[in-house]
Amino acid sequence: MAQEKNVLYVGGFELPDRNAAALRVIANGKLFNRLGYEVTYIGVDKSDNFIESSIKKFKIDGFVFFTKAQKYPDTNLNWFKFITDISFVKETIEKDLNNKVDIIVAYNYPAITLKKLSNYSKKNNIKIIADVSEWYEPQGNIIFRIIKGLDSNLRMNVFQKQLDGIIAISQYLYDYYKHNNVIKLPPLIDKKSSKWEKTINANGHGGIRLVYVGSPGNGQKDRLDLIIRTLSGIKSQISEFEFIIVGITKNQYLEFFGQESFPDNLKNNLIFLGRKPHLDSINEIKKSDFSIFLRDNNLVNTAGFPTKFVESVSSGTPVLTNVSSNVTDYLEEGILGYIINTSTDKSLRSSLTKSLNLGLDNIKKMKESCSKFERFNYTYYLNDFKNFLSRL
């Protein structure tokens, strides 16, 4: 029997499911596991009562993984150490894992620590891969923008190109790194996981149940305000509906977008549920006729890929969204949902009105198509991933 190989996955994820990054790396970890690799994660922990400990074993959907966390940095000094120091990772490799690491996967890792990790890997005959799911444009004060801008430039344009392989979340990033050993993996799920097993058919109350799940980030990520404004303008042209918003409270929405962004004529249609556990959020999607999100056309949204799109389809719920990233590679209209045309206010109102007046029979058919969709199931990529690893 061949000796099992070992992967160390490092990054700013909060296991097991406290952010989208965690969901991505767990799914990718299943790919490694199915191909004979033991996977250990070094993530972060934001809890106030965090106590550093040794590696722990944990199970998800029958898969066995190992994990160790770093305290999420909460001071400027800790942040500086977090983005410049790899001693925690080295100690884990040398003491906890007895130097038995064949591959390191760095998830959106800061530039300086990525370069240090790359140098360390070469000295110790370890292959190193970047898992790239974002290309952020720096925000905040000028000092922060300079630091983040330099970090992003070095990471995306220089250091990641020097690694042994790249896992790209989107077509944009795949094309950018096409001269490297690169594989395109959208956010993936495990269809055998209990959370995806049961889907719910369209509701029968005669109206439409829309859902948004996430954090719009002041509109830099999702234009929740644009959705609400458009729904206000077309309310008289569509049947009864409710819009469930999971991830933020009404007060947070008003703080992000302003009091004027909350139309009076929708006060009985909008239901803010605030932040929910991941499984509860999935169940809210399953109970809905459509999930909806709209995004501006910028580098952040083009380079990334919406996890909420994957989760909605995997929940058996069609999606209403505009063109962003490479969602149109997957979203066949009338099968998994509809593209909302945001080029003008008129086209936005028209396309959203048309989608919301389809009728429950059409929605039921789309729900069935979503449930059968396989291209977000991690097993779909097993052969491609095996070939990718063979090129390291």
Side-chain angles (χ1 to χ4, degrees):
M1 182 176 177
Q3 185 178 5
E4 191 171 58
K5 292 187 176 183
N6 297 279
V7 172
L8 180 63
Y9 222 124
V10 297
F13 38 81
E14 299 175 78
L15 299 176
D17 60 4
R18 285 181 282 173
N19 60 3
L23 301 172
R24 174 168 178 79
V25 302
I26 289 291
N28 290 354
K30 291 179 179 180
L31 281 170
F32 277 111
N33 208 270
R34 284 286 299 271
L35 294 173
Y37 291 83
E38 184 175 275
V39 182
T40 300
Y41 295 97
I42 296 179
V44 296
D45 193 310
K46 291 184 177 180
S47 60
D48 294 331
N49 57 352
F50 171 74
I51 300 175
E52 188 176 311
S53 61
S54 57
I55 288 178
K56 297 177 181 178
K57 179 190 289 189
F58 71 105
K59 290 185 178 181
I60 292 182
D61 305 319
F63 289 83
V64 176
F65 299 118
F66 298 87
T67 184
K68 187 178 182 181
Q70 285 181 276
K71 171 70 175 172
Y72 189 77
D74 52 5
T75 66
N76 288 337
L77 182 61
N78 287 341
W79 264 112
F80 181 77
K81 185 177 180 181
F82 187 74
I83 64 173
T84 60
D85 185 12
I86 64 167
S87 57
F88 188 88
V89 177
K90 287 169 62 177
E91 181 180 301
T92 302
I93 293 172
E94 293 163 8
K95 294 184 178 180
D96 295 294
L97 299 176
N98 298 314
N99 289 305
K100 294 179 180 177
V101 173
D102 299 283
I103 299 173
I104 293 175
V105 186
Y107 176 83
N108 295 331
Y109 225 50
I112 295 173
T113 46
L114 182 63
K115 182 59 178 175
K116 288 183 176 181
L117 208 53
S118 176
N119 292 339
Y120 176 83
S121 298
K122 288 176 182 177
K123 288 179 183 178
N124 292 277
N125 197 30
I126 301 171
K127 300 297 183 182
I128 182 166
I129 298 169
D131 183 2
V132 191
S133 71
E134 64 184 26
W135 195 327
Y136 275 127
E137 294 178 310
Q139 307 288 333
N141 64 56
I142 187 167
I143 295 175
F144 190 77
R145 288 202 308 272
I146 291 171
I147 294 171
K148 287 293 289 183
L150 181 61
D151 176 86
S152 180
N153 181 59
L154 287 173
R155 175 161 48 102
M156 304 302 290
N157 298 321
V158 183
F159 297 153
Q160 284 177 165
K161 292 180 177 180
Q162 298 170 351
L163 305 183
D164 298 299
I166 290 173
I167 302 170
I169 199 170
S170 65
Q171 187 65 44
Y172 180 89
L173 289 173
Y174 179 83
D175 290 341
Y176 183 75
Y177 291 111
K178 63 184 177 182
H179 297 298
N180 300 78
N181 178 21
V182 58
I183 184 172
K184 181 177 65 177
L185 293 181
L188 301 176
I189 59 101
D190 181 355
K191 291 198 80 169
K192 289 187 177 180
S193 175
S194 58
K195 74 172 74 171
W196 310 113
E197 282 179 353
K198 184 181 178 183
T199 58
I200 300 172
N201 282 331
N203 67 70
H205 60 66
I208 294 293
R209 190 182 201 268
L210 281 173
V211 67
Y212 167 85
V213 176
S215 176
N218 294 319
Q220 296 164 10
K221 183 179 178 183
D222 295 323
R223 291 297 308 278
L224 184 56
D225 60 325
L226 188 58
I227 297 170
I228 289 175
R229 188 178 76 206
T230 307
L231 287 172
S232 173
I234 65 173
K235 183 178 180 181
S236 63
Q237 301 170 49
I238 56 180
S239 62
E240 179 187 344
F241 73 94
E242 58 182 6
F243 185 21
I244 312 299
I245 298 161
V246 182
I248 61 170
T249 63
K250 179 180 176 181
N251 285 339
Q252 287 172 322
Y253 172 79
L254 295 176
E255 183 180 334
F256 287 157
F257 298 107
Q259 188 70 43
E260 68 281 358
S261 68
F262 192 90
D264 287 339
N265 69 335
L266 292 187
K267 60 184 179 182
N268 296 323
N269 301 90
L270 304 181
I271 303 170
F272 290 85
L273 298 182
R275 186 162 182 151
K276 291 278 188 181
H278 184 248
L279 188 56
D280 291 350
S281 299
I282 295 299
N283 287 333
E284 289 297 334
I285 296 172
K286 288 181 178 181
K287 291 188 291 186
S288 300
D289 301 299
F290 289 106
S291 69
I292 184 170
F293 65 94
L294 300 176
R295 293 187 163 179
D296 286 337
N297 185 15
N298 55 36
L299 179 61
V300 175
N301 292 330
T302 301
F305 192 94
T307 301
K308 53 176 58 69
F309 176 70
V310 174
E311 292 187 339
S312 185
V313 171
S314 303
S315 299
T317 298
V319 183
L320 302 178
T321 187
N322 61 324
V323 175
S324 67
S325 186
N326 54 298
V327 293
T328 53
D329 290 348
Y330 306 93
L331 200 165
E332 186 178 349
E333 290 202 281
I335 306 297
L336 301 185
Y338 282 93
I339 294 294
I340 302 301
N341 185 343
T342 55
S343 58
T344 66
D345 285 344
K346 182 178 179 180
S347 65
L348 173 54
R349 290 193 297 268
S350 175
S351 56
L352 190 54
T353 300
K354 182 179 177 181
S355 300
L356 296 180
N357 284 328
L358 284 169
L360 295 181
D361 286 342
N362 287 322
I363 294 171
K364 184 177 180 181
K365 290 177 183 177
M366 283 191 289
K367 276 184 163 280
E368 290 169 354
S369 297
C370 288
S371 298
K372 295 174 183 177
F373 193 72
E374 288 290 334
R375 289 176 62 194
F376 297 137
N377 192 15
Y378 82 97
T379 57
Y380 185 88
Y381 297 90
L382 272 170
N383 286 334
D384 287 345
F385 199 65
K386 183 179 180 180
N387 293 333
F388 166 73
L389 296 178
S390 72
R391 299 192 297 267
L392 292 178

